[in-house]
Amino acid sequence: MKLKDTFLIHESQGEKILIDASGENFSGFVRTNPTSAFIIGCLQEDTTEEKIADMMLERYEDATKEVVMKDIAKIVEKLKSIGAIDE
Amino acid sequence: MRIIVTKKYKIADKVFEMTTFYEYTHKMCADYKTDLPADHSIIISSDDIEKEQVISEKTHLKEKGRCYHFEDDYIESLAVYRKMSEILLFEDTILFHGSVIAVDGKAFLFTAKSGTGKSTHTANWRKLFGERAVMINDDKPLIRITDKEAVVYGTPWDGKHHLNTNTSVPLKAVCVLTRSETNHIEKISVKDCYNILLQQTYRPKNPSMMAEVLKLIDRFSEKTELYRLGCNMDVSSAEVAYNGMKG
């Protein structure tokens, strides 16, 4: 899966936001926290939830795989709900 | 009747040579006519008009809940403005939805969703200030962001009351207008109104152009003051707004 090409990640006021340039799926924008920004960043290339989890575990040493997988699933679900993911 | 018309107009300090099928756009732009050499050229095709018609029908259905077919000459004028605003993105200029009025050489832009009362509010400014107030544009002004400031330009795409002046004025403030029983105004941060700035700026469908727009919105929000006004329909609302923003 991968973030759709029309979705842009833009940094404004020290915060990363996600915007649908096509305006067709979703006309607002998504605010992020560092975790969701990292996950969205990984999705700019074709990847899997498993691969993202491995990347997060490298980054956050004291996190457990279970917690990380849950975070990823939650964010991926949200992104799918706004039509931001190509399966 | 379809003919082919080519004329030049100076809008937002750039000269556009416009080639259209109908006179409508040229009549609209008459105040902006020029003989200077063109910086950019806009040529409308049948395909542009068809696409614009589809967009307008969709928007009308979404906003008013019913279907409507617009006249092609009017639709062509929208297609011209769409092309112009996409060209102007690369001249540090955005198209922003709002009613702009200037007093003593400083411009104030009121923005809100359609039907909130932007035009009613700026009409109150004209009642309060008389000839001191100049309507720059009542609907879709262009804003150029320079290193120093944001400058707002009058354009012929000016809303249903047709209020515009062929001039440019430094933009002092952007004010988000909301309805309220009593009049009050507060300064707000970019974060407080970022979603509104985004919604009210013309958004091209092309992702690389949209990335330009996002950069310009950031620069724009740094070069202007931001306020939120709660206002009723009284003339006193204009006084409260002006006193809150004149600085």
Side-chain angles (χ1 to χ4, degrees):
Chain A
M1 64 183 169
K2 185 174 177 300
L3 193 68
K4 268 196 191 135
D5 292 340
T6 60
F7 278 77
L8 303 175
I9 300 167
H10 177 69
E11 193 165 335
S12 172
Q13 303 285 302
E15 183 185 36
K16 284 186 178 160
I17 58 167
L18 183 69
I19 288 169
D20 180 15
S22 78
E24 274 167 18
N25 303 298
F26 174 64
S27 62
F29 67 95
V30 181
R31 291 208 145 107
T32 66
N33 58 29
T35 309
S36 57
F38 181 80
I39 295 168
I40 293 168
C42 293
L43 283 162
Q44 285 178 290
E45 284 171 34
D46 197 18
T47 187
T48 62
E49 292 189 25
E50 192 78 19
K51 277 189 204 160
I52 298 172
D54 291 342
M55 286 171 81
M56 284 182 75
L57 288 169
E58 272 176 34
R59 213 176 134 105
Y60 304 105
E61 283 175 353
D62 46 359
T64 66
K65 183 146 188 175
E66 198 195 345
V67 172
V68 168
M69 285 300 283
K70 237 188 222 171
D71 281 348
I72 297 167
K74 212 168 84 185
I75 285 158
V76 168
E77 193 192 341
K78 164 121 201 213
L79 293 173
K80 280 183 182 167
S81 76
I82 60 168
I85 299 282
D86 273 332
E87 298 284 338
Chain B
M1 190 188 65
R2 277 192 168 196
I3 44 171
I4 289 180
V5 199
T6 302
K7 282 178 191 161
K8 289 188 288 185
Y9 305 93
K10 190 176 177 193
I11 295 172
D13 275 342
K14 298 289 161 192
V15 177
F16 291 89
E17 184 179 73
M18 298 182 198
T19 303
T20 69
F21 292 112
Y22 299 96
E23 281 279 8
Y24 185 97
T25 308
H26 300 279
K27 281 186 186 154
M28 243 176 90
C29 295
D31 280 353
Y32 295 76
K33 207 165 172 291
T34 183
D35 289 321
L36 292 168
D39 297 304
H40 302 283
S41 153
I42 293 175
I43 302 172
I44 297 296
S45 67
S46 301
D47 194 40
D48 291 328
I49 297 180
E50 267 170 48
K51 275 190 201 152
E52 199 65 44
Q53 187 69 256
V54 172
I55 296 169
S56 286
E57 284 173 4
K58 260 194 203 164
T59 314
H60 193 81
L61 186 63
K62 205 166 132 194
E63 283 174 8
K64 315 267 170 158
R66 55 197 144 85
C67 295
Y68 191 83
H69 185 81
F70 297 89
E71 293 296 331
D72 274 359
D73 56 354
Y74 164 72
I75 288 296
E76 181 177 59
S77 74
L78 300 183
V80 169
Y81 208 28
R82 181 180 302 278
K83 283 187 190 265
M84 188 185 294
S85 59
E86 293 186 356
I87 291 168
L88 285 170
L89 279 181
F90 300 94
E91 305 274 10
D92 298 319
T93 303
I94 51 173
L95 193 171
F96 200 86
H97 178 222
S99 182
V100 195
I101 194 159
V103 171
D104 303 338
K106 287 177 186 168
F108 302 88
L109 187 158
F110 293 90
T111 190
K113 275 191 188 145
S114 299
T116 310
K118 299 181 291 285
S119 297
T120 308
H121 184 70
T122 44
N124 279 332
W125 279 56
R126 295 199 299 282
K127 282 181 201 155
L128 180 70
F129 289 105
E131 286 187 358
R132 263 175 81 194
V134 178
M135 269 314 279
I136 307 298
N137 183 302
D138 201 23
D139 190 42
K140 288 175 186 158
L142 291 164
I143 300 167
R144 173 158 301 136
I145 300 105
T146 71
D147 290 337
K148 208 174 91 213
E149 61 190 0
V151 178
V152 62
Y153 289 86
T155 83
W157 287 265
D158 58 359
K160 63 182 173 202
H161 305 294
H162 297 298
L163 297 166
N164 81 80
T165 311
N166 184 2
T167 186
S168 67
V169 181
L171 184 65
K172 169 90 170 137
V174 171
C175 183
V176 178
L177 191 140
T178 58
R179 282 193 196 174
S180 159
E181 280 189 19
T182 57
N183 297 310
H184 56 93
I185 187 161
E186 296 88 30
K187 213 165 190 174
I188 54 174
S189 70
V190 180
K191 271 197 178 169
D192 292 333
C193 63
Y194 190 76
N195 59 337
I196 299 168
L197 296 179
L198 205 59
Q199 279 163 12
Q200 302 295 81
T201 308
Y202 168 65
R203 294 170 65 157
K205 301 277 181 208
N206 173 316
S208 67
M209 285 186 186
M210 188 61 206
E212 269 324 295
V213 169
L214 294 170
K215 282 186 220 158
L216 286 169
I217 292 177
D218 289 341
R219 285 176 50 206
F220 173 42
S221 60
E222 284 167 15
K223 300 288 180 212
T224 185
E225 295 167 21
L226 302 164
Y227 293 89
R228 181 178 287 119
L229 172 72
C231 69
N232 56 34
M233 302 294 169
D234 297 341
V235 177
S236 60
S237 64
E239 207 172 348
V240 169
Y242 179 69
N243 287 335
M245 294 191 289
K246 67 181 178 188

